[in-house]
Amino acid sequence: MAGYNHLYIPGPTNVPEEVRMAMNVCMQDMRAPDFPDFTKPLFQKVQKVFKNTTGRVFLYPSSGTGAWEAAIQNTLSPGDKVLMSRFGQFSHLWVDMAQRLGLDVEVIDCEWGEGVPVEKYAARLKADTAHEIKAVFATHNETATGVTSDIKGVRGALDAANHPALLMVDGVSSIGSIEFDQDAWGVDCAVSGSQKGFMLPAGLGILSVSKWALEAHKHAEYPRTFFSFEDMIANNDNGYFPYTPATQLLKGLDKSCDMILAEGIENIWARHNRLATGVRAAVDAWGLKLCAKEAKWHSDTVSAILVPEGMDARKVISRAYEAYNTSLGSGLSKVMGKVFRIGHLGWMNEGMVMTALSIAEMSMIDCGMDIKAGSGTGAAITHFTQNQIKSSAIAAE
Ligand SMILES: *Cc1c(COP(=O)(O)O)cnc(C)c1O
C-alpha cells in the first residue's frame, strides 16, 4: 500500500529516525578498551529517566518480561509471601510468573478497568504486623485496559504501616512517558522494556533498582544465572557485560535517552497528557466509553475503547488494518472483541494522534457503527487548538 503504515499499538511504538540511524552502525567489539566510555555514561542517563539517584540499572538482552523475572529472582526467595493485584492481562501475567516461580502470592482480584486497590493494600499491610509480606507488586500502567495506578499511594500505604516490604513496579508502558519518580516514590524494582516509552525495538529488559533492593539482594535465595545481579554488577562496574550485550540496541537507547532528557521528562509527561486528553475528547464525542472505570485511572499512554454490546471490536481493527494500513491495538484475553486500543505513547505528536482518530472514526463508520463523521476528530481538534504548546512564532506575537 502506498504511504506509511501507521502504528498505534501500545508497543512496539514508533522508533524515531534519529534512534534508527544511531543503531545503524558497524558491529562493535564489546570487549574493546573504549567500550566503557560509551556504557558508563549510558547507565547514568538511563538512571536519570527513572529518577533513580541512589541505586543502579540493569540492561538485559531480553524483553520487559525478563526484567520482571530478574526483579523477583534477585531480591526474593522461594516461598516468600508477596502481595499482588490483578486487573488486566499484564498484571495477570506477572501474578502467573510469581506463582510459577514459587512465591506465596496473595492476590487481590479487581475488575478489569480498575487499578491497584491502594486502600486494600493499606489495610493488608497494616494488619501484617509480623512483616510476613516481603514485597508488594503494582502494575503502574495496565496496558490491556488503559489504566494507570497510583504508585505514590502504594508507597504511602507501606509507609503508613511502617512496613519494610519491597515495592516492585511494572512500568513497562509508563516509564519515559508519564509521571514516574523512583526516588520520591521509593520504588525498589522498576521494570521496563525498550519498545514502549524508550522508543526502541523490543530486545532490552530495563530494570532500575533502589539501594534497598541491592541490600535485599544479599539475602535473596533464588538460584539465578542469566539475570544475576552479581554477575552484572561485577562486569557493569567496569563498563562491560557478563555476556554479549545487544550493542545496537544500547546505541539506540543512548540516543533515545538523549532525546528524552533534551525534551525534558516533565515536558514529556505534559505532552502525553495533552495527547491523551485529545483522544479522550474524541471517545466522548463518539458516544463511547473507555475500559478504565474512573477518570483517576485514565492512562495517558494507551486508551482502551469499548465498542457497544453486540459489536465486535476486532472488525474495527481489521478494517483499519486492511483498508487504511493502520494498526490499532487489539483487546487481550477477557476484553477481546470488546475493546480496541489506541497507543499514544513515545514518539507521538498531535498530527499522529489525529491520524489515529481519523482512521478509527472511518473504520467504525465502515463497520456500521453509529458514529457521526467528524465528531471525535472534531472534538480532538478543538482540544488541540485550545491547548497548544506555544510555538516560538505564536509566542513572539
Ligand atoms: C508490554 C508490557 C509487558 C511485557 O513486556 P515484553 O517486553 O513484551 O516482555 C509487561 N507489562 C506491561 C505493563 C506491558 O505493557
mmCIF file of all heavy atoms in Angstrom, residues 4-5 7-9 11-20 176-177 194-200 255-256 259-260 263 268 271-272 275 301 343-353:
data_model
loop_
_atom_site.group_PDB
_atom_site.id
_atom_site.type_symbol
_atom_site.label_atom_id
_atom_site.label_comp_id
_atom_site.label_asym_id
_atom_site.label_seq_id
_atom_site.Cartn_x
_atom_site.Cartn_y
_atom_site.Cartn_z
ATOM 1 N N TYR A 4 2.963 5.631 4.367
ATOM 2 C CA TYR A 4 3.440 4.982 5.595
ATOM 3 C C TYR A 4 2.389 4.017 6.132
ATOM 4 O O TYR A 4 1.196 4.235 5.947
ATOM 5 C CB TYR A 4 3.685 6.029 6.688
ATOM 6 C CG TYR A 4 4.872 6.930 6.436
ATOM 7 C CD1 TYR A 4 4.686 8.289 6.177
ATOM 8 C CD2 TYR A 4 6.163 6.431 6.472
ATOM 9 C CE1 TYR A 4 5.773 9.128 5.959
ATOM 10 C CE2 TYR A 4 7.253 7.264 6.250
ATOM 11 C CZ TYR A 4 7.048 8.607 5.993
ATOM 12 O OH TYR A 4 8.123 9.427 5.775
ATOM 13 N N ASN A 5 2.864 3.008 6.843
ATOM 14 C CA ASN A 5 1.901 2.281 7.667
ATOM 15 C C ASN A 5 1.873 2.989 9.015
ATOM 16 O O ASN A 5 2.851 3.589 9.446
ATOM 17 C CB ASN A 5 2.283 0.791 7.809
ATOM 18 C CG ASN A 5 3.496 0.591 8.671
ATOM 19 O OD1 ASN A 5 4.529 1.183 8.400
ATOM 20 N ND2 ASN A 5 3.377 -0.205 9.703
ATOM 21 N N LEU A 7 1.299 3.026 13.008
ATOM 22 C CA LEU A 7 1.401 2.104 14.129
ATOM 23 C C LEU A 7 0.879 2.771 15.404
ATOM 24 O O LEU A 7 1.501 3.685 15.939
ATOM 25 C CB LEU A 7 2.871 1.696 14.306
ATOM 26 C CG LEU A 7 3.171 0.615 15.334
ATOM 27 C CD1 LEU A 7 2.596 -0.733 14.890
ATOM 28 C CD2 LEU A 7 4.678 0.476 15.550
ATOM 29 N N TYR A 8 -0.247 2.279 15.869
ATOM 30 C CA TYR A 8 -0.829 2.819 17.109
ATOM 31 C C TYR A 8 -1.116 1.711 18.103
ATOM 32 O O TYR A 8 -2.150 1.702 18.767
ATOM 33 C CB TYR A 8 -2.113 3.614 16.803
ATOM 34 C CG TYR A 8 -1.825 4.802 15.926
ATOM 35 C CD1 TYR A 8 -2.141 4.783 14.569
ATOM 36 C CD2 TYR A 8 -1.182 5.923 16.445
ATOM 37 C CE1 TYR A 8 -1.834 5.855 13.755
ATOM 38 C CE2 TYR A 8 -0.869 7.000 15.630
ATOM 39 C CZ TYR A 8 -1.202 6.962 14.293
ATOM 40 O OH TYR A 8 -0.889 8.022 13.487
ATOM 41 N N ILE A 9 -0.205 0.739 18.152
ATOM 42 C CA ILE A 9 -0.321 -0.247 19.211
ATOM 43 C C ILE A 9 0.544 0.273 20.372
ATOM 44 O O ILE A 9 1.478 1.031 20.161
ATOM 45 C CB ILE A 9 0.122 -1.655 18.746
ATOM 46 C CG1 ILE A 9 1.558 -1.655 18.211
ATOM 47 C CG2 ILE A 9 -0.841 -2.157 17.662
ATOM 48 C CD1 ILE A 9 2.095 -3.039 17.891
ATOM 49 N N GLY A 11 2.991 -0.604 21.942
ATOM 50 C CA GLY A 11 4.292 -1.255 21.989
ATOM 51 C C GLY A 11 4.294 -2.526 21.159
ATOM 52 O O GLY A 11 3.395 -3.342 21.324
ATOM 53 N N PRO A 12 5.307 -2.667 20.236
ATOM 54 C CA PRO A 12 6.336 -1.672 19.981
ATOM 55 C C PRO A 12 5.741 -0.367 19.461
ATOM 56 O O PRO A 12 4.753 -0.381 18.729
ATOM 57 C CB PRO A 12 7.234 -2.330 18.918
ATOM 58 C CG PRO A 12 6.395 -3.384 18.279
ATOM 59 C CD PRO A 12 5.454 -3.839 19.339
ATOM 60 N N THR A 13 6.389 0.727 19.856
ATOM 61 C CA THR A 13 5.928 2.043 19.427
ATOM 62 C C THR A 13 6.805 2.523 18.271
ATOM 63 O O THR A 13 7.751 1.835 17.867
ATOM 64 C CB THR A 13 6.011 3.040 20.598
ATOM 65 O OG1 THR A 13 7.384 3.190 20.997
ATOM 66 C CG2 THR A 13 5.195 2.559 21.803
ATOM 67 N N ASN A 14 6.488 3.696 17.766
ATOM 68 C CA ASN A 14 7.245 4.236 16.635
ATOM 69 C C ASN A 14 8.674 4.580 17.065
ATOM 70 O O ASN A 14 8.892 5.147 18.131
ATOM 71 C CB ASN A 14 6.544 5.483 16.103
ATOM 72 C CG ASN A 14 5.181 5.140 15.526
ATOM 73 O OD1 ASN A 14 5.061 4.665 14.408
ATOM 74 N ND2 ASN A 14 4.138 5.343 16.321
ATOM 75 N N VAL A 15 9.618 4.217 16.227
ATOM 76 C CA VAL A 15 11.028 4.489 16.523
ATOM 77 C C VAL A 15 11.448 5.751 15.761
ATOM 78 O O VAL A 15 11.309 5.810 14.542
ATOM 79 C CB VAL A 15 11.915 3.287 16.112
ATOM 80 C CG1 VAL A 15 13.391 3.604 16.318
ATOM 81 C CG2 VAL A 15 11.523 2.044 16.895
ATOM 82 N N PRO A 16 11.932 6.759 16.487
ATOM 83 C CA PRO A 16 12.358 7.992 15.810
ATOM 84 C C PRO A 16 13.485 7.703 14.814
ATOM 85 O O PRO A 16 14.321 6.829 15.052
ATOM 86 C CB PRO A 16 12.879 8.876 16.955
ATOM 87 C CG PRO A 16 12.344 8.284 18.210
ATOM 88 C CD PRO A 16 12.110 6.834 17.946
ATOM 89 N N GLU A 17 13.505 8.459 13.736
ATOM 90 C CA GLU A 17 14.566 8.300 12.729
ATOM 91 C C GLU A 17 15.951 8.421 13.354
ATOM 92 O O GLU A 17 16.865 7.659 13.026
ATOM 93 C CB GLU A 17 14.436 9.368 11.638
ATOM 94 C CG GLU A 17 13.347 9.074 10.629
ATOM 95 C CD GLU A 17 13.531 7.727 9.952
ATOM 96 O OE1 GLU A 17 14.495 7.560 9.192
ATOM 97 O OE2 GLU A 17 12.705 6.827 10.215
ATOM 98 N N GLU A 18 16.113 9.384 14.265
ATOM 99 C CA GLU A 18 17.429 9.583 14.880
ATOM 100 C C GLU A 18 17.880 8.336 15.630
ATOM 101 O O GLU A 18 19.062 8.012 15.660
ATOM 102 C CB GLU A 18 17.363 10.717 15.902
ATOM 103 C CG GLU A 18 17.330 12.099 15.324
ATOM 104 C CD GLU A 18 16.835 13.087 16.372
ATOM 105 O OE1 GLU A 18 15.593 13.224 16.497
ATOM 106 O OE2 GLU A 18 17.660 13.687 17.067
ATOM 107 N N VAL A 19 16.921 7.673 16.257
ATOM 108 C CA VAL A 19 17.255 6.463 17.017
ATOM 109 C C VAL A 19 17.593 5.334 16.050
ATOM 110 O O VAL A 19 18.554 4.585 16.239
ATOM 111 C CB VAL A 19 16.086 6.080 17.960
ATOM 112 C CG1 VAL A 19 16.333 4.724 18.606
ATOM 113 C CG2 VAL A 19 15.883 7.148 19.019
ATOM 114 N N ARG A 20 16.787 5.239 14.994
ATOM 115 C CA ARG A 20 17.035 4.202 13.989
ATOM 116 C C ARG A 20 18.431 4.375 13.384
ATOM 117 O O ARG A 20 19.185 3.417 13.229
ATOM 118 C CB ARG A 20 15.974 4.272 12.896
ATOM 119 C CG ARG A 20 15.597 2.929 12.321
ATOM 120 C CD ARG A 20 14.142 2.894 11.882
ATOM 121 N NE ARG A 20 13.850 3.842 10.813
ATOM 122 C CZ ARG A 20 13.973 3.565 9.516
ATOM 123 N NH1 ARG A 20 14.407 2.380 9.122
ATOM 124 N NH2 ARG A 20 13.658 4.458 8.611
ATOM 125 N N GLY A 176 9.173 6.824 31.146
ATOM 126 C CA GLY A 176 9.621 7.579 29.976
ATOM 127 C C GLY A 176 8.472 8.269 29.267
ATOM 128 O O GLY A 176 8.687 9.001 28.309
ATOM 129 N N SER A 177 7.246 8.051 29.740
ATOM 130 C CA SER A 177 6.089 8.664 29.084
ATOM 131 C C SER A 177 5.215 9.451 30.062
ATOM 132 O O SER A 177 4.808 10.569 29.770
ATOM 133 C CB SER A 177 5.197 7.598 28.427
ATOM 134 O OG SER A 177 5.950 6.771 27.570
ATOM 135 N N SER A 194 12.411 -1.972 26.211
ATOM 136 C CA SER A 194 12.868 -0.967 25.254
ATOM 137 C C SER A 194 11.793 -0.457 24.299
ATOM 138 O O SER A 194 11.902 0.655 23.787
ATOM 139 C CB SER A 194 14.041 -1.535 24.449
ATOM 140 O OG SER A 194 13.752 -2.835 23.971
ATOM 141 N N GLN A 195 10.727 -1.243 24.075
ATOM 142 C CA GLN A 195 9.859 -0.949 22.912
ATOM 143 C C GLN A 195 8.628 -0.112 23.215
ATOM 144 O O GLN A 195 7.725 -0.058 22.415
ATOM 145 C CB GLN A 195 9.448 -2.267 22.248
ATOM 146 C CG GLN A 195 8.343 -3.055 22.929
ATOM 147 C CD GLN A 195 8.832 -3.932 24.055
ATOM 148 O OE1 GLN A 195 9.884 -3.700 24.631
ATOM 149 N NE2 GLN A 195 8.062 -4.944 24.410
ATOM 150 N N LYS A 196 8.606 0.569 24.372
ATOM 151 C CA LYS A 196 7.438 1.417 24.649
ATOM 152 C C LYS A 196 7.902 2.865 24.812
ATOM 153 O O LYS A 196 8.293 3.476 23.835
ATOM 154 C CB LYS A 196 6.659 0.835 25.810
ATOM 155 C CG LYS A 196 6.152 -0.552 25.380
ATOM 156 C CD LYS A 196 5.238 -1.270 26.305
ATOM 157 C CE LYS A 196 4.976 -2.658 25.698
ATOM 158 N NZ LYS A 196 4.276 -3.552 26.597
ATOM 159 N N GLY A 197 7.954 3.371 26.037
ATOM 160 C CA GLY A 197 8.376 4.765 26.203
ATOM 161 C C GLY A 197 9.803 5.041 25.740
ATOM 162 O O GLY A 197 10.137 6.172 25.399
ATOM 163 N N PHE A 198 10.633 4.014 25.715
ATOM 164 C CA PHE A 198 12.021 4.222 25.286
ATOM 165 C C PHE A 198 12.174 4.269 23.757
ATOM 166 O O PHE A 198 13.279 4.487 23.250
ATOM 167 C CB PHE A 198 12.948 3.172 25.905
ATOM 168 C CG PHE A 198 13.266 3.438 27.366
ATOM 169 C CD1 PHE A 198 12.574 2.790 28.372
ATOM 170 C CD2 PHE A 198 14.240 4.359 27.726
ATOM 171 C CE1 PHE A 198 12.861 3.040 29.724
ATOM 172 C CE2 PHE A 198 14.534 4.621 29.061
ATOM 173 C CZ PHE A 198 13.843 3.960 30.063
ATOM 174 N N MET A 199 11.076 4.020 23.025
ATOM 175 C CA MET A 199 11.028 4.283 21.577
ATOM 176 C C MET A 199 12.044 3.465 20.774
ATOM 177 O O MET A 199 12.619 3.946 19.797
ATOM 178 C CB MET A 199 11.264 5.786 21.295
ATOM 179 C CG MET A 199 10.363 6.717 22.088
ATOM 180 S SD MET A 199 10.669 8.471 21.771
ATOM 181 C CE MET A 199 12.226 8.743 22.615
ATOM 182 N N LEU A 200 12.276 2.237 21.210
ATOM 183 C CA LEU A 200 13.236 1.363 20.533
ATOM 184 C C LEU A 200 12.539 0.091 20.068
ATOM 185 O O LEU A 200 11.419 -0.190 20.480
ATOM 186 C CB LEU A 200 14.332 0.964 21.528
ATOM 187 C CG LEU A 200 15.321 2.039 21.953
ATOM 188 C CD1 LEU A 200 16.000 1.641 23.238
ATOM 189 C CD2 LEU A 200 16.334 2.251 20.849
ATOM 190 N N LYS A 255 20.743 7.120 22.323
ATOM 191 C CA LYS A 255 20.118 8.222 21.573
ATOM 192 C C LYS A 255 18.732 8.542 22.136
ATOM 193 O O LYS A 255 18.370 9.712 22.304
ATOM 194 C CB LYS A 255 20.045 7.843 20.082
ATOM 195 C CG LYS A 255 19.350 8.861 19.203
ATOM 196 C CD LYS A 255 19.991 10.237 19.258
ATOM 197 C CE LYS A 255 21.228 10.326 18.373
ATOM 198 N NZ LYS A 255 21.845 11.674 18.395
ATOM 199 N N SER A 256 17.957 7.519 22.454
ATOM 200 C CA SER A 256 16.603 7.820 22.928
ATOM 201 C C SER A 256 16.651 8.505 24.297
ATOM 202 O O SER A 256 15.872 9.422 24.556
ATOM 203 C CB SER A 256 15.715 6.569 22.945
ATOM 204 O OG SER A 256 16.063 5.706 23.992
ATOM 205 N N MET A 259 17.331 12.061 23.674
ATOM 206 C CA MET A 259 16.127 12.763 23.214
ATOM 207 C C MET A 259 15.177 13.040 24.375
ATOM 208 O O MET A 259 14.592 14.118 24.475
ATOM 209 C CB MET A 259 15.407 11.922 22.146
ATOM 210 C CG MET A 259 16.152 11.882 20.815
ATOM 211 S SD MET A 259 15.324 10.819 19.599
ATOM 212 C CE MET A 259 13.870 11.810 19.230
ATOM 213 N N ILE A 260 15.020 12.043 25.249
ATOM 214 C CA ILE A 260 14.114 12.199 26.399
ATOM 215 C C ILE A 260 14.622 13.312 27.315
ATOM 216 O O ILE A 260 13.864 14.196 27.730
ATOM 217 C CB ILE A 260 13.984 10.854 27.166
ATOM 218 C CG1 ILE A 260 13.191 9.840 26.338
ATOM 219 C CG2 ILE A 260 13.350 11.067 28.546
ATOM 220 C CD1 ILE A 260 13.205 8.404 26.887
ATOM 221 N N GLU A 263 14.250 16.827 25.648
ATOM 222 C CA GLU A 263 12.875 17.361 25.671
ATOM 223 C C GLU A 263 12.506 17.738 27.096
ATOM 224 O O GLU A 263 11.770 18.704 27.328
ATOM 225 C CB GLU A 263 11.884 16.325 25.111
ATOM 226 C CG GLU A 263 10.442 16.854 25.056
ATOM 227 C CD GLU A 263 9.444 15.896 24.417
ATOM 228 O OE1 GLU A 263 9.856 14.863 23.866
ATOM 229 O OE2 GLU A 263 8.235 16.212 24.485
ATOM 230 N N ILE A 268 7.703 15.812 28.653
ATOM 231 C CA ILE A 268 7.190 14.597 28.002
ATOM 232 C C ILE A 268 5.898 14.149 28.687
ATOM 233 O O ILE A 268 4.921 13.788 28.020
ATOM 234 C CB ILE A 268 8.257 13.486 28.017
ATOM 235 C CG1 ILE A 268 9.404 13.888 27.085
ATOM 236 C CG2 ILE A 268 7.659 12.137 27.617
ATOM 237 C CD1 ILE A 268 10.564 12.915 27.056
ATOM 238 N N ARG A 271 3.226 16.410 27.475
ATOM 239 C CA ARG A 271 2.836 16.105 26.082
ATOM 240 C C ARG A 271 1.921 14.885 26.055
ATOM 241 O O ARG A 271 0.888 14.890 25.364
ATOM 242 C CB ARG A 271 4.107 15.857 25.234
ATOM 243 C CG ARG A 271 3.829 15.331 23.839
ATOM 244 C CD ARG A 271 5.055 15.425 22.918
ATOM 245 N NE ARG A 271 6.234 14.737 23.412
ATOM 246 C CZ ARG A 271 6.466 13.422 23.270
ATOM 247 N NH1 ARG A 271 5.593 12.651 22.633
ATOM 248 N NH2 ARG A 271 7.578 12.878 23.744
ATOM 249 N N HIS A 272 2.275 13.858 26.798
ATOM 250 C CA HIS A 272 1.423 12.667 26.802
ATOM 251 C C HIS A 272 0.033 12.979 27.363
ATOM 252 O O HIS A 272 -0.969 12.454 26.880
ATOM 253 C CB HIS A 272 2.086 11.525 27.586
ATOM 254 C CG HIS A 272 3.138 10.802 26.789
ATOM 255 N ND1 HIS A 272 4.391 11.305 26.599
ATOM 256 C CD2 HIS A 272 3.084 9.637 26.099
ATOM 257 C CE1 HIS A 272 5.085 10.468 25.828
ATOM 258 N NE2 HIS A 272 4.314 9.448 25.519
ATOM 259 N N LEU A 275 -1.927 14.889 24.590
ATOM 260 C CA LEU A 275 -2.344 13.995 23.503
ATOM 261 C C LEU A 275 -3.459 13.060 23.973
ATOM 262 O O LEU A 275 -4.455 12.865 23.274
ATOM 263 C CB LEU A 275 -1.147 13.180 22.989
ATOM 264 C CG LEU A 275 -0.001 13.998 22.367
ATOM 265 C CD1 LEU A 275 1.150 13.086 21.961
ATOM 266 C CD2 LEU A 275 -0.485 14.801 21.165
ATOM 267 N N THR A 301 -0.981 6.903 28.204
ATOM 268 C CA THR A 301 -0.183 6.243 27.166
ATOM 269 C C THR A 301 -1.016 5.346 26.249
ATOM 270 O O THR A 301 -0.622 5.082 25.125
ATOM 271 C CB THR A 301 0.965 5.388 27.754
ATOM 272 O OG1 THR A 301 0.427 4.378 28.607
ATOM 273 C CG2 THR A 301 1.959 6.233 28.523
ATOM 274 N N GLY A 343 -2.646 3.223 21.076
ATOM 275 C CA GLY A 343 -1.423 3.531 21.822
ATOM 276 C C GLY A 343 -0.989 4.932 21.425
ATOM 277 O O GLY A 343 -0.859 5.229 20.242
ATOM 278 N N HIS A 344 -0.832 5.810 22.421
ATOM 279 C CA HIS A 344 -0.416 7.186 22.105
ATOM 280 C C HIS A 344 0.779 7.549 22.973
ATOM 281 O O HIS A 344 0.768 8.514 23.719
ATOM 282 C CB HIS A 344 -1.583 8.173 22.262
ATOM 283 C CG HIS A 344 -2.569 7.846 23.348
ATOM 284 N ND1 HIS A 344 -2.346 8.132 24.662
ATOM 285 C CD2 HIS A 344 -3.781 7.230 23.293
ATOM 286 C CE1 HIS A 344 -3.385 7.722 25.383
ATOM 287 N NE2 HIS A 344 -4.273 7.153 24.592
ATOM 288 N N LEU A 345 1.801 6.692 22.877
ATOM 289 C CA LEU A 345 2.982 6.927 23.701
ATOM 290 C C LEU A 345 4.240 6.926 22.853
ATOM 291 O O LEU A 345 4.251 6.404 21.742
ATOM 292 C CB LEU A 345 3.102 5.851 24.788
ATOM 293 C CG LEU A 345 3.498 4.430 24.393
ATOM 294 C CD1 LEU A 345 3.990 3.683 25.610
ATOM 295 C CD2 LEU A 345 2.324 3.687 23.776
ATOM 296 N N GLY A 346 5.256 7.518 23.461
ATOM 297 C CA GLY A 346 6.558 7.516 22.827
ATOM 298 C C GLY A 346 6.704 8.663 21.836
ATOM 299 O O GLY A 346 6.386 9.811 22.147
ATOM 300 N N TRP A 347 7.176 8.317 20.646
ATOM 301 C CA TRP A 347 7.458 9.335 19.625
ATOM 302 C C TRP A 347 6.136 9.680 18.941
ATOM 303 O O TRP A 347 5.785 9.123 17.910
ATOM 304 C CB TRP A 347 8.459 8.759 18.637
ATOM 305 C CG TRP A 347 9.156 9.759 17.791
ATOM 306 C CD1 TRP A 347 9.841 10.862 18.204
ATOM 307 C CD2 TRP A 347 9.268 9.734 16.363
ATOM 308 N NE1 TRP A 347 10.371 11.523 17.123
ATOM 309 C CE2 TRP A 347 10.042 10.855 15.990
ATOM 310 C CE3 TRP A 347 8.810 8.879 15.365
ATOM 311 C CZ2 TRP A 347 10.353 11.133 14.656
ATOM 312 C CZ3 TRP A 347 9.120 9.150 14.037
ATOM 313 C CH2 TRP A 347 9.880 10.274 13.700
ATOM 314 N N MET A 348 5.400 10.616 19.524
ATOM 315 C CA MET A 348 3.997 10.838 19.152
ATOM 316 C C MET A 348 3.692 12.324 19.230
ATOM 317 O O MET A 348 4.177 13.007 20.127
ATOM 318 C CB MET A 348 3.145 10.047 20.172
ATOM 319 C CG MET A 348 1.668 9.989 19.968
ATOM 320 S SD MET A 348 1.086 9.203 18.455
ATOM 321 C CE MET A 348 1.841 7.586 18.509
ATOM 322 N N ASN A 349 2.899 12.792 18.267
ATOM 323 C CA ASN A 349 2.515 14.209 18.297
ATOM 324 C C ASN A 349 1.058 14.364 17.873
ATOM 325 O O ASN A 349 0.370 13.373 17.596
ATOM 326 C CB ASN A 349 3.467 15.041 17.420
ATOM 327 C CG ASN A 349 3.468 14.581 15.969
ATOM 328 O OD1 ASN A 349 2.475 14.042 15.472
ATOM 329 N ND2 ASN A 349 4.588 14.782 15.291
ATOM 330 N N GLU A 350 0.588 15.610 17.815
ATOM 331 C CA GLU A 350 -0.831 15.866 17.510
ATOM 332 C C GLU A 350 -1.234 15.287 16.157
ATOM 333 O O GLU A 350 -2.311 14.710 16.019
ATOM 334 C CB GLU A 350 -1.123 17.377 17.505
ATOM 335 C CG GLU A 350 -1.213 18.016 18.862
ATOM 336 C CD GLU A 350 0.149 18.391 19.447
ATOM 337 O OE1 GLU A 350 1.196 18.019 18.860
ATOM 338 O OE2 GLU A 350 0.159 19.039 20.511
ATOM 339 N N GLY A 351 -0.359 15.490 15.155
ATOM 340 C CA GLY A 351 -0.700 15.023 13.809
ATOM 341 C C GLY A 351 -0.872 13.514 13.787
ATOM 342 O O GLY A 351 -1.787 12.981 13.135
ATOM 343 N N MET A 352 -0.004 12.834 14.524
ATOM 344 C CA MET A 352 -0.095 11.367 14.553
ATOM 345 C C MET A 352 -1.365 10.925 15.280
ATOM 346 O O MET A 352 -2.032 9.975 14.866
ATOM 347 C CB MET A 352 1.163 10.785 15.225
ATOM 348 C CG MET A 352 2.422 11.003 14.387
ATOM 349 S SD MET A 352 3.933 10.809 15.373
ATOM 350 C CE MET A 352 4.165 9.031 15.269
ATOM 351 N N VAL A 353 -1.696 11.626 16.359
ATOM 352 C CA VAL A 353 -2.926 11.278 17.089
ATOM 353 C C VAL A 353 -4.149 11.545 16.201
ATOM 354 O O VAL A 353 -5.086 10.737 16.150
ATOM 355 C CB VAL A 353 -3.021 12.062 18.420
ATOM 356 C CG1 VAL A 353 -4.417 11.969 19.025
ATOM 357 C CG2 VAL A 353 -1.988 11.533 19.409
#
